[in-house]
Amino acid sequence: LDLTAAMVIIALAVSGVLTPAQAVAGFGNPLVLLIAGLFVVSEGLYRTGVAAWVGMKIANAASRSEVRLLLLLMPVVAVLSGIMSSTGVVALFVPVVLSLAREAGIPAARLLLPVAIASLIGGMLTLIGTPPNLVASRALVDAGLPGFGFFDFTLIGGVILLVSMLFVLVLGR
């Protein structure tokens, strides 16, 4: 996708549809820089072993209980998704979850789907949780209105996370 996007920008500049200044103007946008920074943070958490460490702590605390695993996994994944890419969080936790499921004798799908749900909901917890939050905030600022604060989404996102966890634990299993 990145290569395709770069090729489209180059093609538009070479064909004269865009001037060279227009073609690279987006790279100076603070929103683009912030999203790029989020990817750097995500990679840092991965490379430093933070996610693996969290996974081991969850494994030790939950032992072999599916309910305890879900009660620990879902909020941890959601909170991490609130500060880094949800795709990155899921990618980090897939091996951890597969290992936890194998050790607990639980089918992996019973843990993987709730982790995916929690990851998506985690984007609702903070301003940087998902790029659309940042885009909406920037659109407000561009319209002369105050943008969203970092935790403006947290209350509603937290309620949605709790309701989703309840659903997964009571009906979703």
Side-chain angles (χ1 to χ4, degrees):
L1 291 174
D2 298 332
L3 182 60
T4 302
M7 289 174 28
V8 167
I9 291 171
I10 291 168
L12 290 172
V14 168
S15 68
V17 174
L18 296 177
T19 66
Q22 290 172 322
V24 297
F27 294 111
N29 185 317
L31 180 60
V32 172
L33 297 174
L34 182 58
I35 292 170
L38 291 175
F39 284 115
V40 171
V41 169
S42 297
E43 186 67 17
L45 289 173
Y46 170 73
R47 291 195 183 228
T48 58
V50 169
W53 177 79
V54 169
M56 293 310 301
K57 292 294 183 186
I58 290 171
N60 292 337
S63 64
R64 295 176 172 258
S65 168
E66 180 180 353
V67 171
R68 272 187 276 172
L69 281 169
L70 291 173
L71 284 172
L72 291 169
L73 274 172
M74 289 185 75
V76 167
V77 167
V79 168
L80 283 174
S81 288
I83 59 170
M84 59 186 279
S85 161
S86 59
T87 305
V89 172
V90 171
L92 290 172
F93 272 87
V94 164
V96 172
V97 170
L98 292 175
S99 174
L100 291 172
R102 188 173 38 257
E103 289 176 20
I106 300 167
R110 292 175 67 104
L111 298 178
L112 287 172
L113 189 56
V115 163
I117 292 167
S119 176
L120 291 173
I121 293 169
M124 295 182 209
L125 295 176
T126 64
L127 175 63
I128 64 169
T130 184
N133 294 355
L134 294 167
V135 171
S137 183
R138 187 66 196 183
L140 286 171
V141 171
D142 290 345
L145 300 168
F148 292 117
F150 191 82
F151 293 109
D152 282 355
F153 299 93
T154 306
L155 181 61
I156 189 70
V159 169
I160 292 170
L161 176 62
L162 289 174
V163 169
S164 299
M165 286 177 59
L166 245 158
F167 175 82
V168 166
L169 292 169
V170 175
L171 298 174
R173 295 179 334 131

